[in-house]
PDB file of all heavy atoms in Angstrom:
ATOM      1  N   ALA A 113      14.398 -22.069 -23.339  1.00 98.00           N
ATOM      2  CA  ALA A 113      15.016 -20.856 -23.876  1.00 98.00           C
ATOM      3  C   ALA A 113      15.747 -21.219 -25.165  1.00 98.00           C
ATOM      4  O   ALA A 113      16.209 -22.346 -25.334  1.00 98.00           O
ATOM      5  CB  ALA A 113      15.987 -20.249 -22.876  1.00 98.00           C
ATOM      6  N   VAL A 114      15.825 -20.247 -26.064  1.00 98.00           N
ATOM      7  CA  VAL A 114      16.588 -20.394 -27.300  1.00 98.00           C
ATOM      8  C   VAL A 114      17.463 -19.159 -27.437  1.00 98.00           C
ATOM      9  O   VAL A 114      16.992 -18.036 -27.245  1.00 98.00           O
ATOM     10  CB  VAL A 114      15.664 -20.530 -28.535  1.00 98.00           C
ATOM     11  CG1 VAL A 114      16.468 -20.538 -29.828  1.00 98.00           C
ATOM     12  CG2 VAL A 114      14.822 -21.797 -28.425  1.00 98.00           C
ATOM     13  N   VAL A 115      18.738 -19.380 -27.735  1.00 98.00           N
ATOM     14  CA  VAL A 115      19.661 -18.275 -27.963  1.00 98.00           C
ATOM     15  C   VAL A 115      20.139 -18.321 -29.406  1.00 98.00           C
ATOM     16  O   VAL A 115      20.096 -19.372 -30.055  1.00 98.00           O
ATOM     17  CB  VAL A 115      20.874 -18.311 -27.001  1.00 98.00           C
ATOM     18  CG1 VAL A 115      20.436 -18.054 -25.563  1.00 98.00           C
ATOM     19  CG2 VAL A 115      21.633 -19.634 -27.110  1.00 98.00           C
ATOM     20  N   THR A 116      20.593 -17.182 -29.886  1.00 98.00           N
ATOM     21  CA  THR A 116      21.157 -17.100 -31.225  1.00 98.00           C
ATOM     22  C   THR A 116      22.123 -15.934 -31.283  1.00 98.00           C
ATOM     23  O   THR A 116      22.086 -15.046 -30.418  1.00 98.00           O
ATOM     24  CB  THR A 116      20.051 -16.971 -32.302  1.00 98.00           C
ATOM     25  OG1 THR A 116      20.619 -17.222 -33.583  1.00 98.00           O
ATOM     26  CG2 THR A 116      19.385 -15.615 -32.271  1.00 98.00           C
ATOM     27  N   ALA A 117      22.970 -15.955 -32.267  1.00 96.00           N
ATOM     28  CA  ALA A 117      23.911 -14.859 -32.499  1.00 96.00           C
ATOM     29  C   ALA A 117      23.804 -14.460 -33.961  1.00 96.00           C
ATOM     30  O   ALA A 117      23.601 -15.305 -34.823  1.00 96.00           O
ATOM     31  CB  ALA A 117      25.337 -15.299 -32.169  1.00 96.00           C
ATOM     32  N   THR A 118      23.935 -13.182 -34.226  1.00 94.00           N
ATOM     33  CA  THR A 118      23.886 -12.697 -35.594  1.00 94.00           C
ATOM     34  C   THR A 118      24.861 -11.551 -35.784  1.00 94.00           C
ATOM     35  O   THR A 118      25.085 -10.769 -34.854  1.00 94.00           O
ATOM     36  CB  THR A 118      22.465 -12.253 -35.997  1.00 94.00           C
ATOM     37  OG1 THR A 118      22.474 -11.816 -37.355  1.00 94.00           O
ATOM     38  CG2 THR A 118      21.928 -11.146 -35.105  1.00 94.00           C
ATOM     39  N   THR A 119      25.428 -11.475 -36.967  1.00 90.00           N
ATOM     40  CA  THR A 119      26.272 -10.335 -37.310  1.00 90.00           C
ATOM     41  C   THR A 119      25.410  -9.211 -37.881  1.00 90.00           C
ATOM     42  O   THR A 119      25.907  -8.121 -38.138  1.00 90.00           O
ATOM     43  CB  THR A 119      27.362 -10.730 -38.332  1.00 90.00           C
ATOM     44  OG1 THR A 119      26.731 -11.282 -39.482  1.00 90.00           O
ATOM     45  CG2 THR A 119      28.333 -11.736 -37.728  1.00 90.00           C
ATOM     46  N   GLY A 120      24.122  -9.478 -38.060  1.00 89.00           N
ATOM     47  CA  GLY A 120      23.189  -8.471 -38.573  1.00 89.00           C
ATOM     48  C   GLY A 120      22.567  -7.674 -37.434  1.00 89.00           C
ATOM     49  O   GLY A 120      23.017  -7.717 -36.288  1.00 89.00           O
ATOM     50  N   ASN A 121      21.468  -6.995 -37.751  1.00 94.00           N
ATOM     51  CA  ASN A 121      20.829  -6.134 -36.754  1.00 94.00           C
ATOM     52  C   ASN A 121      19.865  -6.868 -35.836  1.00 94.00           C
ATOM     53  O   ASN A 121      19.391  -6.305 -34.859  1.00 94.00           O
ATOM     54  CB  ASN A 121      20.131  -4.951 -37.438  1.00 94.00           C
ATOM     55  CG  ASN A 121      18.979  -5.379 -38.323  1.00 94.00           C
ATOM     56  OD1 ASN A 121      18.462  -6.498 -38.227  1.00 94.00           O
ATOM     57  ND2 ASN A 121      18.562  -4.491 -39.203  1.00 94.00           N
ATOM     58  N   GLY A 122      19.531  -8.098 -36.144  1.00 96.00           N
ATOM     59  CA  GLY A 122      18.663  -8.890 -35.272  1.00 96.00           C
ATOM     60  C   GLY A 122      17.182  -8.600 -35.409  1.00 96.00           C
ATOM     61  O   GLY A 122      16.377  -9.105 -34.618  1.00 96.00           O
ATOM     62  N   ALA A 123      16.789  -7.805 -36.411  1.00 97.00           N
ATOM     63  CA  ALA A 123      15.375  -7.438 -36.551  1.00 97.00           C
ATOM     64  C   ALA A 123      14.468  -8.660 -36.684  1.00 97.00           C
ATOM     65  O   ALA A 123      13.392  -8.697 -36.083  1.00 97.00           O
ATOM     66  CB  ALA A 123      15.191  -6.504 -37.743  1.00 97.00           C
ATOM     67  N   LEU A 124      14.883  -9.651 -37.450  1.00 97.00           N
ATOM     68  CA  LEU A 124      14.075 -10.860 -37.605  1.00 97.00           C
ATOM     69  C   LEU A 124      13.838 -11.516 -36.252  1.00 97.00           C
ATOM     70  O   LEU A 124      12.711 -11.914 -35.926  1.00 97.00           O
ATOM     71  CB  LEU A 124      14.761 -11.845 -38.556  1.00 97.00           C
ATOM     72  CG  LEU A 124      14.118 -13.234 -38.674  1.00 97.00           C
ATOM     73  CD1 LEU A 124      12.728 -13.135 -39.289  1.00 97.00           C
ATOM     74  CD2 LEU A 124      14.999 -14.157 -39.491  1.00 97.00           C
ATOM     75  N   PHE A 125      14.872 -11.627 -35.453  1.00 98.00           N
ATOM     76  CA  PHE A 125      14.734 -12.267 -34.142  1.00 98.00           C
ATOM     77  C   PHE A 125      13.856 -11.437 -33.211  1.00 98.00           C
ATOM     78  O   PHE A 125      13.021 -11.984 -32.494  1.00 98.00           O
ATOM     79  CB  PHE A 125      16.109 -12.542 -33.542  1.00 98.00           C
ATOM     80  CG  PHE A 125      16.925 -13.470 -34.395  1.00 98.00           C
ATOM     81  CD1 PHE A 125      18.064 -13.027 -35.047  1.00 98.00           C
ATOM     82  CD2 PHE A 125      16.527 -14.781 -34.588  1.00 98.00           C
ATOM     83  CE1 PHE A 125      18.796 -13.881 -35.852  1.00 98.00           C
ATOM     84  CE2 PHE A 125      17.251 -15.644 -35.393  1.00 98.00           C
ATOM     85  CZ  PHE A 125      18.387 -15.195 -36.037  1.00 98.00           C
ATOM     86  N   ARG A 126      14.016 -10.135 -33.223  1.00 98.00           N
ATOM     87  CA  ARG A 126      13.166  -9.263 -32.384  1.00 98.00           C
ATOM     88  C   ARG A 126      11.691  -9.432 -32.747  1.00 98.00           C
ATOM     89  O   ARG A 126      10.834  -9.456 -31.860  1.00 98.00           O
ATOM     90  CB  ARG A 126      13.570  -7.803 -32.552  1.00 98.00           C
ATOM     91  CG  ARG A 126      14.891  -7.444 -31.948  1.00 98.00           C
ATOM     92  CD  ARG A 126      15.141  -5.940 -32.196  1.00 98.00           C
ATOM     93  NE  ARG A 126      16.522  -5.607 -32.241  1.00 98.00           N
ATOM     94  CZ  ARG A 126      17.278  -5.362 -31.173  1.00 98.00           C
ATOM     95  NH1 ARG A 126      16.767  -5.432 -29.978  1.00 98.00           N
ATOM     96  NH2 ARG A 126      18.549  -5.040 -31.306  1.00 98.00           N
ATOM     97  N   ARG A 127      11.400  -9.539 -34.044  1.00 97.00           N
ATOM     98  CA  ARG A 127      10.000  -9.718 -34.474  1.00 97.00           C
ATOM     99  C   ARG A 127       9.404 -11.011 -33.934  1.00 97.00           C
ATOM    100  O   ARG A 127       8.188 -11.161 -33.862  1.00 97.00           O
ATOM    101  CB  ARG A 127       9.903  -9.715 -36.003  1.00 97.00           C
ATOM    102  CG  ARG A 127      10.002  -8.348 -36.619  1.00 97.00           C
ATOM    103  CD  ARG A 127       9.541  -8.326 -38.071  1.00 97.00           C
ATOM    104  NE  ARG A 127      10.272  -9.209 -38.961  1.00 97.00           N
ATOM    105  CZ  ARG A 127      11.409  -8.904 -39.590  1.00 97.00           C
ATOM    106  NH1 ARG A 127      11.981  -7.730 -39.397  1.00 97.00           N
ATOM    107  NH2 ARG A 127      11.974  -9.765 -40.397  1.00 97.00           N
ATOM    108  N   HIS A 128      10.247 -11.950 -33.563  1.00 98.00           N
ATOM    109  CA  HIS A 128       9.777 -13.239 -33.055  1.00 98.00           C
ATOM    110  C   HIS A 128       9.973 -13.383 -31.550  1.00 98.00           C
ATOM    111  O   HIS A 128       9.988 -14.501 -31.039  1.00 98.00           O
ATOM    112  CB  HIS A 128      10.465 -14.372 -33.825  1.00 98.00           C
ATOM    113  CG  HIS A 128       9.981 -14.456 -35.238  1.00 98.00           C
ATOM    114  ND1 HIS A 128       8.858 -15.154 -35.604  1.00 98.00           N
ATOM    115  CD2 HIS A 128      10.426 -13.865 -36.366  1.00 98.00           C
ATOM    116  CE1 HIS A 128       8.651 -15.014 -36.897  1.00 98.00           C
ATOM    117  NE2 HIS A 128       9.583 -14.234 -37.380  1.00 98.00           N
ATOM    118  N   GLY A 129      10.125 -12.261 -30.854  1.00 98.00           N
ATOM    119  CA  GLY A 129      10.149 -12.289 -29.399  1.00 98.00           C
ATOM    120  C   GLY A 129      11.506 -12.444 -28.752  1.00 98.00           C
ATOM    121  O   GLY A 129      11.599 -12.604 -27.535  1.00 98.00           O
ATOM    122  N   PHE A 130      12.572 -12.418 -29.520  1.00 98.00           N
ATOM    123  CA  PHE A 130      13.917 -12.467 -28.950  1.00 98.00           C
ATOM    124  C   PHE A 130      14.285 -11.089 -28.423  1.00 98.00           C
ATOM    125  O   PHE A 130      13.852 -10.069 -28.967  1.00 98.00           O
ATOM    126  CB  PHE A 130      14.953 -12.861 -30.016  1.00 98.00           C
ATOM    127  CG  PHE A 130      14.960 -14.322 -30.384  1.00 98.00           C
ATOM    128  CD1 PHE A 130      13.990 -14.846 -31.222  1.00 98.00           C
ATOM    129  CD2 PHE A 130      15.955 -15.164 -29.906  1.00 98.00           C
ATOM    130  CE1 PHE A 130      14.004 -16.184 -31.585  1.00 98.00           C
ATOM    131  CE2 PHE A 130      15.981 -16.505 -30.263  1.00 98.00           C
ATOM    132  CZ  PHE A 130      15.001 -17.015 -31.105  1.00 98.00           C
ATOM    133  N   THR A 131      15.088 -11.076 -27.376  1.00 98.00           N
ATOM    134  CA  THR A 131      15.638  -9.825 -26.863  1.00 98.00           C
ATOM    135  C   THR A 131      17.156  -9.920 -26.874  1.00 98.00           C
ATOM    136  O   THR A 131      17.727 -10.998 -26.658  1.00 98.00           O
ATOM    137  CB  THR A 131      15.147  -9.520 -25.427  1.00 98.00           C
ATOM    138  OG1 THR A 131      15.471 -10.628 -24.589  1.00 98.00           O
ATOM    139  CG2 THR A 131      13.646  -9.294 -25.391  1.00 98.00           C
ATOM    140  N   GLU A 132      17.792  -8.793 -27.124  1.00 98.00           N
ATOM    141  CA  GLU A 132      19.252  -8.781 -27.127  1.00 98.00           C
ATOM    142  C   GLU A 132      19.760  -8.918 -25.701  1.00 98.00           C
ATOM    143  O   GLU A 132      19.185  -8.331 -24.779  1.00 98.00           O
ATOM    144  CB  GLU A 132      19.784  -7.497 -27.768  1.00 98.00           C
ATOM    145  CG  GLU A 132      21.264  -7.557 -28.030  1.00 98.00           C
ATOM    146  CD  GLU A 132      21.765  -6.478 -28.974  1.00 98.00           C
ATOM    147  OE1 GLU A 132      20.957  -5.640 -29.427  1.00 98.00           O
ATOM    148  OE2 GLU A 132      22.977  -6.492 -29.269  1.00 98.00           O
ATOM    149  N   ILE A 133      20.805  -9.703 -25.533  1.00 97.00           N
ATOM    150  CA  ILE A 133      21.378  -9.942 -24.204  1.00 97.00           C
ATOM    151  C   ILE A 133      22.892  -9.760 -24.248  1.00 97.00           C
ATOM    152  O   ILE A 133      23.513  -9.948 -25.290  1.00 97.00           O
ATOM    153  CB  ILE A 133      21.046 -11.367 -23.693  1.00 97.00           C
ATOM    154  CG1 ILE A 133      21.587 -12.441 -24.646  1.00 97.00           C
ATOM    155  CG2 ILE A 133      19.541 -11.515 -23.451  1.00 97.00           C
ATOM    156  CD1 ILE A 133      21.515 -13.860 -24.111  1.00 97.00           C
ATOM    157  N   PRO A 134      23.475  -9.425 -23.099  1.00 96.00           N
ATOM    158  CA  PRO A 134      24.941  -9.407 -23.033  1.00 96.00           C
ATOM    159  C   PRO A 134      25.465 -10.838 -22.932  1.00 96.00           C
ATOM    160  O   PRO A 134      24.741 -11.752 -22.523  1.00 96.00           O
ATOM    161  CB  PRO A 134      25.221  -8.625 -21.752  1.00 96.00           C
ATOM    162  CG  PRO A 134      24.013  -8.843 -20.902  1.00 96.00           C
ATOM    163  CD  PRO A 134      22.851  -8.990 -21.856  1.00 96.00           C
ATOM    164  N   ALA A 135      26.697 -11.030 -23.290  1.00 94.00           N
ATOM    165  CA  ALA A 135      27.295 -12.373 -23.240  1.00 94.00           C
ATOM    166  C   ALA A 135      27.207 -12.967 -21.837  1.00 94.00           C
ATOM    167  O   ALA A 135      27.069 -14.176 -21.689  1.00 94.00           O
ATOM    168  CB  ALA A 135      28.738 -12.324 -23.714  1.00 94.00           C
ATOM    169  N   THR A 136      27.244 -12.135 -20.825  1.00 93.00           N
ATOM    170  CA  THR A 136      27.192 -12.627 -19.442  1.00 93.00           C
ATOM    171  C   THR A 136      25.841 -13.253 -19.094  1.00 93.00           C
ATOM    172  O   THR A 136      25.748 -13.998 -18.131  1.00 93.00           O
ATOM    173  CB  THR A 136      27.496 -11.498 -18.453  1.00 93.00           C
ATOM    174  OG1 THR A 136      26.578 -10.418 -18.695  1.00 93.00           O
ATOM    175  CG2 THR A 136      28.928 -11.008 -18.595  1.00 93.00           C
ATOM    176  N   ALA A 137      24.792 -12.964 -19.881  1.00 95.00           N
ATOM    177  CA  ALA A 137      23.465 -13.526 -19.623  1.00 95.00           C
ATOM    178  C   ALA A 137      23.219 -14.821 -20.387  1.00 95.00           C
ATOM    179  O   ALA A 137      22.191 -15.457 -20.210  1.00 95.00           O
ATOM    180  CB  ALA A 137      22.386 -12.501 -19.980  1.00 95.00           C
ATOM    181  N   ALA A 138      24.161 -15.212 -21.226  1.00 95.00           N
ATOM    182  CA  ALA A 138      24.011 -16.424 -22.038  1.00 95.00           C
ATOM    183  C   ALA A 138      24.728 -17.589 -21.375  1.00 95.00           C
ATOM    184  O   ALA A 138      25.659 -17.398 -20.588  1.00 95.00           O
ATOM    185  CB  ALA A 138      24.583 -16.170 -23.429  1.00 95.00           C
ATOM    186  N   PRO A 139      24.325 -18.815 -21.686  1.00 96.00           N
ATOM    187  CA  PRO A 139      25.003 -19.987 -21.115  1.00 96.00           C
ATOM    188  C   PRO A 139      26.491 -20.001 -21.494  1.00 96.00           C
ATOM    189  O   PRO A 139      26.830 -19.896 -22.686  1.00 96.00           O
ATOM    190  CB  PRO A 139      24.264 -21.173 -21.739  1.00 96.00           C
ATOM    191  CG  PRO A 139      22.930 -20.629 -22.144  1.00 96.00           C
ATOM    192  CD  PRO A 139      23.184 -19.202 -22.532  1.00 96.00           C
ATOM    193  N   PRO A 140      27.366 -20.127 -20.508  1.00 95.00           N
ATOM    194  CA  PRO A 140      28.818 -20.121 -20.786  1.00 95.00           C
ATOM    195  C   PRO A 140      29.288 -21.162 -21.805  1.00 95.00           C
ATOM    196  O   PRO A 140      30.164 -20.838 -22.616  1.00 95.00           O
ATOM    197  CB  PRO A 140      29.443 -20.347 -19.405  1.00 95.00           C
ATOM    198  CG  PRO A 140      28.429 -19.822 -18.447  1.00 95.00           C
ATOM    199  CD  PRO A 140      27.097 -20.139 -19.072  1.00 95.00           C
ATOM    200  N   PRO A 141      28.725 -22.390 -21.846  1.00 92.00           N
ATOM    201  CA  PRO A 141      29.205 -23.335 -22.872  1.00 92.00           C
ATOM    202  C   PRO A 141      29.007 -22.798 -24.294  1.00 92.00           C
ATOM    203  O   PRO A 141      29.799 -23.079 -25.184  1.00 92.00           O
ATOM    204  CB  PRO A 141      28.364 -24.590 -22.643  1.00 92.00           C
ATOM    205  CG  PRO A 141      27.941 -24.507 -21.221  1.00 92.00           C
ATOM    206  CD  PRO A 141      27.763 -23.029 -20.942  1.00 92.00           C
ATOM    207  N   TRP A 142      27.955 -22.007 -24.496  1.00 95.00           N
ATOM    208  CA  TRP A 142      27.701 -21.442 -25.815  1.00 95.00           C
ATOM    209  C   TRP A 142      28.604 -20.245 -26.085  1.00 95.00           C
ATOM    210  O   TRP A 142      29.218 -20.159 -27.151  1.00 95.00           O
ATOM    211  CB  TRP A 142      26.235 -21.057 -25.958  1.00 95.00           C
ATOM    212  CG  TRP A 142      25.900 -20.412 -27.266  1.00 95.00           C
ATOM    213  CD1 TRP A 142      26.096 -20.947 -28.510  1.00 95.00           C
ATOM    214  CD2 TRP A 142      25.308 -19.146 -27.465  1.00 95.00           C
ATOM    215  NE1 TRP A 142      25.651 -20.068 -29.474  1.00 95.00           N
ATOM    216  CE2 TRP A 142      25.156 -18.955 -28.852  1.00 95.00           C
ATOM    217  CE3 TRP A 142      24.876 -18.144 -26.607  1.00 95.00           C
ATOM    218  CZ2 TRP A 142      24.602 -17.804 -29.396  1.00 95.00           C
ATOM    219  CZ3 TRP A 142      24.316 -17.001 -27.147  1.00 95.00           C
ATOM    220  CH2 TRP A 142      24.187 -16.843 -28.529  1.00 95.00           C
ATOM    221  N   THR A 143      28.691 -19.332 -25.133  1.00 93.00           N
ATOM    222  CA  THR A 143      29.514 -18.144 -25.381  1.00 93.00           C
ATOM    223  C   THR A 143      30.982 -18.518 -25.569  1.00 93.00           C
ATOM    224  O   THR A 143      31.703 -17.835 -26.285  1.00 93.00           O
ATOM    225  CB  THR A 143      29.362 -17.094 -24.268  1.00 93.00           C
ATOM    226  OG1 THR A 143      29.667 -17.687 -23.008  1.00 93.00           O
ATOM    227  CG2 THR A 143      27.953 -16.521 -24.249  1.00 93.00           C
ATOM    228  N   ALA A 144      31.419 -19.615 -24.965  1.00 92.00           N
ATOM    229  CA  ALA A 144      32.802 -20.065 -25.157  1.00 92.00           C
ATOM    230  C   ALA A 144      33.052 -20.484 -26.605  1.00 92.00           C
ATOM    231  O   ALA A 144      34.186 -20.428 -27.076  1.00 92.00           O
ATOM    232  CB  ALA A 144      33.116 -21.221 -24.206  1.00 92.00           C
ATOM    233  N   GLU A 145      32.003 -20.895 -27.322  1.00 90.00           N
ATOM    234  CA  GLU A 145      32.115 -21.314 -28.718  1.00 90.00           C
ATOM    235  C   GLU A 145      32.138 -20.145 -29.698  1.00 90.00           C
ATOM    236  O   GLU A 145      32.525 -20.308 -30.848  1.00 90.00           O
ATOM    237  CB  GLU A 145      30.922 -22.190 -29.119  1.00 90.00           C
ATOM    238  CG  GLU A 145      30.799 -23.485 -28.386  1.00 90.00           C
ATOM    239  CD  GLU A 145      29.511 -24.218 -28.774  1.00 90.00           C
ATOM    240  OE1 GLU A 145      28.767 -23.740 -29.667  1.00 90.00           O
ATOM    241  OE2 GLU A 145      29.240 -25.264 -28.183  1.00 90.00           O
ATOM    242  N   LEU A 146      31.683 -18.977 -29.249  1.00 90.00           N
ATOM    243  CA  LEU A 146      31.537 -17.844 -30.160  1.00 90.00           C
ATOM    244  C   LEU A 146      32.885 -17.233 -30.517  1.00 90.00           C
ATOM    245  O   LEU A 146      33.795 -17.178 -29.690  1.00 90.00           O
ATOM    246  CB  LEU A 146      30.633 -16.773 -29.538  1.00 90.00           C
ATOM    247  CG  LEU A 146      29.193 -17.202 -29.282  1.00 90.00           C
ATOM    248  CD1 LEU A 146      28.439 -16.109 -28.532  1.00 90.00           C
ATOM    249  CD2 LEU A 146      28.487 -17.531 -30.587  1.00 90.00           C
ATOM    250  N   ASP A 147      32.986 -16.766 -31.727  1.00 85.00           N
ATOM    251  CA  ASP A 147      34.188 -16.089 -32.218  1.00 85.00           C
ATOM    252  C   ASP A 147      33.980 -14.591 -32.014  1.00 85.00           C
ATOM    253  O   ASP A 147      33.227 -13.952 -32.752  1.00 85.00           O
ATOM    254  CB  ASP A 147      34.396 -16.423 -33.697  1.00 85.00           C
ATOM    255  CG  ASP A 147      35.589 -15.727 -34.313  1.00 85.00           C
ATOM    256  OD1 ASP A 147      36.238 -14.905 -33.638  1.00 85.00           O
ATOM    257  OD2 ASP A 147      35.869 -15.992 -35.489  1.00 85.00           O
TER     258      ASP A 147
END
Side-chain angles (χ1 to χ4, degrees):
V114 174
V115 293
T116 194
T118 181
T119 57
N121 65 17
L124 172 65
F125 299 113
R126 290 180 207 276
R127 283 195 301 274
H128 290 274
F130 284 77
T131 56
E132 191 165 1
I133 59 170
T136 56
W142 177 58
T143 56
E145 297 175 4
L146 296 174
D147 178 356

